Amino acid sequence: NVLASMVPPDFSPRNRELIYSGVLESLAMSIVATIAGVVISIPIAFMAARNVAPKPVYLLGRGLVTISRSFHELIIAIIAVKAFGIGAFAGVFTLVFGTVGFYSKLLAEDIEEIDRSQMDAIRATGAGGFQVLLYGVLPQVMARIVGLTVYRWDINIRVSTVVGIVGAGGIGATLMNSFETYELDFSLAIILVIVLIVLLGEAVSAI
């Protein structure tokens, strides 16, 4: 009965406007959260890499990564909605929180696998610790930073469509509202758009 009520999908002018605003908000959330998350994650990744950070700093970095990875995005979204209210800000906060754990862990592992001879060569010129990181470590992981950024943006697009279900903005909130009002044909229209967004994200990340 549910499936029969969903067909055909309803793309009426009013619904198209709601879908457009929801998709635009989800895309904005994913872009802002990815940029902010990467900016926060890169320093934490260096802190969490055993071969470039002193042990106390390493333990702190690993602790931050572990905390971020310990909670599912939906849990963080529920807490964020309670803290900041319903809307996109709660969604962005959730996506940034999830980005830190994912991005920092993978980048830290790549930093730990770099060629130490390049670091030693930079250090032999009399360079300080920051210069060693800037010229001896960063060039070796720059390609990975770009790849991880695109990959995480793809993930954030998908997650942004889910966190809205608990009130954290985006197209997910529009989908939840359509289910609550039993506009199931509108729900199918939103689901099809979400699938299209995910496919487009996959295509961009594969370039």
Side-chain angles (χ1 to χ4, degrees):
N1 289 334
V2 170
L3 292 176
S5 301
M6 297 177 83
V7 179
D10 183 3
F11 285 100
S12 63
R14 170 255 185 187
N15 289 347
R16 286 201 304 268
E17 184 177 346
L18 291 174
I19 291 173
Y20 176 77
S21 60
V23 168
L24 197 62
E25 187 170 63
S26 285
L27 290 176
M29 285 166 53
S30 67
I31 292 171
V32 172
T34 300
I35 293 173
V38 169
V39 169
I40 296 171
S41 297
I42 290 177
I44 294 177
F46 277 91
M47 292 169 61
R50 184 182 290 106
N51 59 332
V52 298
K55 189 170 183 179
V57 176
Y58 167 77
L59 294 176
L60 175 60
R62 282 292 170 177
L64 294 173
V65 171
T66 301
I67 291 172
S68 178
R69 288 173 55 82
S70 298
F71 300 96
H72 192 277
E73 280 89 351
L74 279 179
I75 297 176
I76 300 302
I78 292 171
I79 296 173
V81 167
K82 293 296 182 183
F84 306 117
I86 294 173
F89 184 79
V92 171
F93 179 87
T94 300
L95 297 179
V96 170
F97 192 92
T99 297
V100 170
F102 173 91
Y103 196 100
S104 298
K105 184 179 188 301
L106 293 182
L107 183 57
E109 291 174 353
D110 286 320
I111 294 173
E112 290 179 342
E113 295 175 0
I114 64 172
D115 182 9
R116 289 191 61 88
S117 62
Q118 188 167 334
M119 293 174 58
D120 295 335
I122 299 296
R123 191 176 289 111
T125 64
F130 178 74
Q131 291 172 314
V132 171
L133 295 178
L134 187 60
Y135 299 108
V137 179
L138 191 59
Q140 297 189 62
V141 296
M142 183 57 69
R144 184 61 169 162
I145 288 175
V146 174
L148 281 176
T149 300
V150 175
Y151 183 35
R152 184 62 206 186
W153 174 66
D154 174 47
I155 294 174
N156 282 342
I157 290 177
R158 283 177 280 153
V159 175
S160 69
T161 65
V162 176
V163 296
I165 293 175
V166 295
I171 190 64
T174 309
L175 177 61
M176 193 61 184
N177 289 335
S178 70
F179 276 120
E180 289 176 346
T181 56
Y182 294 96
E183 299 178 88
L184 299 183
D185 50 354
F186 182 29
S187 301
L188 179 58
I190 297 172
I191 291 171
L192 292 176
V193 170
I194 290 174
V195 171
L196 179 61
I197 293 172
V198 172
L199 291 176
L200 289 175
E202 289 284 352
V204 171
S205 63
I207 296 176

